[in-house]
Amino acid sequence: MSTCTETISNKLNGLLEKTYDAEKGFKKAAENTEHPYLKKYFERKAAERYNFGHELKTEIRSFGEQPDKSGSITGTAHRAWMDIKTLFSSDNDESMLEEAIRGEKAALEEYNDVLNETSLTHSTHTILLKQRGAIDSDLRTIKRLEDLG
């Protein structure tokens, strides 16, 4: 296994870890909102990240590497923080949207970092561009939802 392939695989595993975190975070947000539209939105985002995870795992395996199996400690702490904010916030829907915006911005930075890797295979580049595009589009949607609140 070349060092280049291992580097790409490690970066993809980093994205996969963040994808697990996002999926769990969106599930948690869906559980914590009473607003029907937001609940559906967060559930859809959780399902989307679940699918992203499968795509990333397949790509990692194509490099002969093993995908990580869970999220990060940082993600677990972030979800705990969301629970605390929800508990003490008078407008927990707005707080969850703010956290979603923060998380999506961080995800875009992660994707951009990996996409700037010049040695990506065509399939990896295509998958990451598609996923980054979906995250970017939904970031604009979340910002609009927050403006409505």
Side-chain angles (χ1 to χ4, degrees):
M1 175 83 28
S2 75
T3 304
C4 183
T5 302
E6 286 178 34
T7 300
I8 293 170
S9 183
N10 287 338
K11 287 186 177 198
L12 290 178
N13 261 316
L15 280 180
L16 180 60
E17 192 174 83
K18 301 281 187 328
T19 298
Y20 289 142
D21 291 341
E23 178 190 354
K24 292 172 188 174
F26 283 123
K27 282 181 180 178
K28 180 64 73 178
E31 292 168 8
N32 287 333
T33 186
E34 299 293 321
H35 192 284
Y37 179 79
L38 283 180
K39 185 177 284 297
K40 280 209 174 297
Y41 176 78
F42 288 136
E43 287 170 347
R44 182 181 64 77
K45 289 298 294 175
E48 175 186 74
R49 291 303 169 86
Y50 175 83
N51 292 332
F52 283 6
H54 280 287
E55 291 174 343
L56 291 170
K57 285 189 277 190
T58 299
E59 198 66 13
I60 291 165
R61 285 186 189 109
S62 77
F63 290 110
E65 296 288 324
Q66 288 302 310
D68 288 342
K69 301 217 183 297
S70 65
S72 67
I73 293 169
T74 305
T76 301
H78 183 80
R79 286 187 299 281
W81 174 242
M82 280 181 71
D83 284 343
I84 291 167
K85 276 184 88 169
T86 299
L87 182 64
F88 292 108
S89 176
S90 61
D91 188 354
N92 61 344
D93 286 343
E94 184 175 347
S95 293
M96 285 186 290
L97 287 170
E98 287 170 1
E99 290 302 314
I101 288 169
R102 198 177 98 203
E104 295 293 64
K105 284 180 178 178
L108 284 177
E109 288 176 19
E110 294 276 338
Y111 273 83
N112 288 335
D113 177 51
V114 178
L115 282 164
N116 286 331
E117 178 72 43
T118 57
S119 57
L120 293 177
T121 65
H122 178 71
S123 66
T124 300
H125 193 263
T126 301
I127 288 168
L128 296 182
L129 276 178
K130 178 183 69 92
Q131 291 181 359
R132 185 189 67 180
I135 292 167
D136 189 43
S137 173
D138 278 337
L139 181 57
R140 289 189 298 274
T141 300
I142 292 170
K143 288 178 178 177
R144 282 193 306 271
L145 290 173
E146 186 181 42
D147 290 341
L148 296 175

